[in-house]
């Protein structure tokens, strides 16, 4: 076992207040493309760039085209949790991990059994009616074509944060609290270049900031341990 992973394992054994902060790299091992990687979502050919399609204005004006993209590129109904998701769920069951803060919208942490998951950008697992507020799960998309409609006739939208929309303030506050109180903060699968990730990491006060990412991150200079291995293999080895 690599020395950094051995040190991480020892730290995890001695802690019951770990917080994990994750990005797209956590789910690439489940076959979900990283938004910003070379062959990821942002470089795929579509009529409009993904940043446009995934905006509030576009959703309201071109709902059908939005859903065509959502169904094809965001939904991933067959994706399964990988070793990273499963290891984090196990750490929570053992009373060691207090929260997962994620930028992902794929719902794989919950699918793996994690309970306290703070989804900064919302989730593709939940939908609601723009007219009456009725809440739906992903089944409404799997059992319909085109634009999903509520029983009241209203348009149903995903509970994800689109561009031009603000993040849920209560999710931010709970994330800040968890990170501030954490004794180990493990950050994985994100380069930390994108808002709000970098801002949230700054709330960490401890001396065990662990970065697991295959490439450099904006916080490498502040990390106590940097691991450039697969996140799934690393977290699995830590258990
Ligand atoms: Zn409705």
């Amino acid at each position: 076992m690599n020395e950094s992973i051995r040190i991480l394992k020892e730290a995890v054994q001695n802690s019951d207040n770990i917080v994990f902060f994750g990005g797209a790299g956590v789910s690439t091992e489940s076959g979900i493309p990283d938004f910003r990687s070379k062959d990821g979502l942002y470089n795929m050919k579509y009529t409009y760039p993904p940043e446009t399609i995934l905006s509030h204005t576009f959703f309201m004006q071109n709902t059908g085209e939005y859903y065509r993209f959502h169904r094809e590129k965001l939904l991933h109904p067959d994706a399964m949790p990988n070793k990273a998701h499963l290891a984090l769920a196990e750490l929570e069951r053992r009373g060691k991990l207090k929260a997962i803060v994620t930028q992902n919208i794929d719902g794989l942490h919950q699918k793996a059994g994690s309970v306290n998951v703070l989804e900064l950008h919302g989730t593709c697992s939940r939908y609601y009616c723009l007219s009456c507020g009725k809440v739906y799960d992903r089944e409404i998309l799997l059992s319909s074509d085109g634009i999903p409609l509520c029983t009241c006739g209203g348009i149903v939208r995903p509970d994800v944060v689109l561009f031009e929309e603000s993040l849920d303030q209560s999710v931010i506050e709970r994330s800040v609290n968890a990170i501030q109180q954490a004794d180990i903060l493990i950050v994985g699968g994100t380069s930390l270049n994108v808002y709000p990730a970098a801002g949230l990491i700054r709330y960490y006060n401890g001396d065990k900031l662990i970065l697991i990412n295959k490439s450099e991150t904006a916080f490498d200079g502040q990390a106590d341990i940097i691991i450039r291995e697969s996140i799934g293999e690393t977290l699995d080895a830590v258990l």
Side-chain angles (χ1 to χ4, degrees), residues 128-134 136 149-156:
Y128 63 91
C129 172
L130 286 174
S131 302
C132 74
K134 184 173 175 187
Y136 291 88
L149 295 177
C150 180
T151 48
C152 83
I155 290 175
V156 170

Side-chain angles (χ1 to χ4, degrees), residues 22 126 137-138 172:
R126 200 166 52 240
D137 65 20
R138 212 171 47 168
I172 295 280

Side-chain angles (χ1 to χ4, degrees), residues 55-163:
S55 69
H56 179 83
T57 305
F58 191 90
F59 178 85
M60 299 309 283
Q61 291 174 354
N62 306 275
T63 315
E65 180 70 356
Y66 170 86
Y67 266 116
R68 194 167 74 82
F69 184 90
H70 184 100
R71 287 171 184 280
E72 195 184 333
K73 304 293 186 197
L74 300 185
L75 208 51
H76 306 292
D78 301 323
M80 293 301 289
N82 62 52
K83 284 180 177 176
H85 300 106
L86 296 170
L88 291 165
E90 177 60 23
L91 287 173
E92 186 182 28
R93 270 192 294 275
R94 292 183 191 174
K96 294 185 158 296
L97 185 94
K98 293 303 182 218
I100 292 172
V101 181
T102 182
Q103 299 175 277
N104 298 341
I105 56 176
D106 52 45
L108 288 179
H109 286 298
Q110 289 91 337
K111 208 167 179 176
S114 289
V115 179
N116 193 22
V117 183
L118 301 166
E119 296 170 305
L120 295 169
H121 297 150
T123 176
C124 284
S125 304
R126 200 166 52 240
Y127 297 78
Y128 63 91
C129 172
L130 286 174
S131 302
C132 74
K134 184 173 175 187
V135 174
Y136 291 88
D137 65 20
R138 212 171 47 168
E139 264 311 302
I140 190 162
L141 279 205
L142 302 178
S143 62
S144 66
D145 292 314
I147 302 172
L149 295 177
C150 180
T151 48
C152 83
I155 290 175
V156 170
R157 68 158 283 174
D159 198 357
V160 298
V161 181
L162 298 171
F163 287 106

Side-chain angles (χ1 to χ4, degrees), residues 161-211:
V161 181
L162 298 171
F163 287 106
E164 306 161 357
E165 295 177 339
S166 33
L167 302 180
D168 182 327
Q169 204 48 43
S170 82
V171 175
I172 295 280
E173 280 166 22
R174 283 149 65 209
S175 301
V176 166
N177 281 340
I179 290 169
Q180 265 178 336
Q181 289 164 23
D183 108 67
I184 300 178
L185 179 61
I186 304 176
V187 178
T190 168
S191 55
L192 292 171
N193 286 319
V194 184
Y195 174 85
L200 286 173
I201 300 306
R202 291 205 178 88
Y203 284 97
Y204 177 61
N205 296 311
D207 59 359
K208 294 183 188 75
L209 174 61
I210 322 293
L211 299 183

Side-chain angles (χ1 to χ4, degrees), residues 27-34 76 79-80 82 108:
S27 291
T28 47
E29 290 171 29
S30 292
I32 296 180
D34 181 341
H76 306 292
M80 293 301 289
N82 62 52
L108 288 179

